[in-house]
Amino acid sequence: MRKLAAGNWKMNGMAASLSEVTALLAAHPAPGCEMLLCPPATLVAAMAAQARGSALQVGGQDCHAKLSGAHTGDISAAMLADAGASHVILGHSERRADHGESDEDVRMKTGAAWAAGLVAVVCVGETEAQRDAGQTLAVVGAQLKASLPEGATAANLVIAYEPVWAIGTGRTPTLAEIAEVHGFLRAELTARFGAEAGGMRLLYGGSVKPSNATEIFALADVDGALVGGASLKAADFGAIVAALSAA
Ligand code: 13P
């Protein structure tokens, strides 16, 4: 399987930030892994134009569950595809927290993404309180089950395990904890989707940076990363791309 280095710019990035993409492509014209950046919606079309013909893929950070209609302020999966996106992040913990997105919302959005031909990058992860209570596998297992429609394949689905308490904090789970969750996710996906699950990319996300990427990428069932803060700078994201290419 081709591993995937994905960056989530969140609500960061102006037109001038596209110079980071220029620098990234200059430094990593042919990486040994897939490379994806998900800028804010305002930059998707411009970044996709910049990335055309390169190794970089571009994605959105959310989409509506419907393909069009009277939903002021929302963006459909078809619009993202039309702007040049190939992927969309769905069910990020910030959307689950800030916008009350439920597993069912994520499942409907995932179906919409697939209908528009996008790869869905579906996020799961426990809070610190849930981990302290020993509920991590139960929580991510329930999210995984309820957030995915039937019909997931290695080509249309990527899963990102992002512990909420590790996002933007500089803290990460131990390597054993990451390996435990990823092994569990693979087993759950295999139980539901069969052999296809062996090819689904399982990304780890939460305070991934150049200094910890190599040890995380060495773990079984870690097929890449979903990177927040460190994806904003070409030098940092490029170092993570290089670490994944070497894994
Ligand atoms: P950080 O890498 O900034 O911790 O963010 C992770 C994340 O939420 C990516 O979606």
Side-chain angles (χ1 to χ4, degrees):
M1 138 205 335
R2 287 268 290 173
K3 298 192 174 176
L4 173 62
N8 174 9
W9 279 16
K10 308 191 179 183
M11 198 171 72
N12 299 291
M14 301 292 179
S17 314
L18 296 174
S19 64
E20 295 295 331
V21 177
T22 307
L24 179 70
L25 292 175
H28 302 277
C33 63
E34 285 191 30
M35 200 162 61
L36 168 70
L37 281 177
C38 300
T42 47
L43 293 180
V44 166
M47 192 185 287
Q50 198 180 6
R52 199 156 295 136
S54 81
L56 179 66
Q57 303 176 87
V58 177
Q61 299 175 10
D62 176 49
C63 70
H64 197 277
K66 299 228 167 73
L67 289 191
S68 68
H71 301 286
T72 301
D74 280 316
I75 292 173
S76 75
M79 290 168 183
L80 289 173
D82 186 54
S86 52
H87 293 64
V88 62
I89 298 169
L90 295 172
H92 191 282
S93 63
E94 288 153 13
R95 293 209 58 87
R96 291 177 186 265
D98 294 355
H99 299 273
E101 284 189 10
S102 66
D103 292 331
E104 187 186 354
D105 292 329
V106 179
R107 189 173 76 243
M108 305 297 283
K109 290 177 178 209
T110 300
W114 292 347
L118 298 179
V119 179
V121 181
V122 173
C123 304
V124 297
E126 83 286 0
T127 64
E128 184 158 35
Q130 289 165 334
R131 175 162 285 276
D132 290 346
Q135 298 169 344
T136 297
L137 297 186
V139 167
V140 300
Q143 288 177 328
L144 189 75
K145 185 164 193 254
S147 299
L148 300 180
E150 298 308 318
T153 69
N156 69 16
L157 180 70
V158 173
I159 298 293
Y161 167 54
E162 299 205 309
V164 177
W165 53 273
I167 294 174
T169 59
R171 299 165 57 206
T172 56
T174 66
L175 295 175
E177 287 167 340
I178 297 173
E180 179 189 32
V181 174
H182 279 241
F184 172 76
L185 292 173
R186 183 80 68 199
E188 293 288 295
L189 290 166
T190 300
R192 181 161 171 199
F193 299 110
E196 193 69 23
M200 292 175 185
R201 272 78 61 86
L202 307 184
L203 311 184
Y204 168 76
S207 297
V208 175
K209 42 192 186 249
S211 59
N212 63 15
T214 296
E215 60 185 17
I216 293 171
F217 294 152
L219 297 171
D221 291 313
V222 174
D223 310 312
L226 182 55
V227 184
S231 73
L232 294 168
K233 291 282 168 231
D236 288 344
F237 191 61
I240 291 167
V241 166
L244 186 58
S245 299

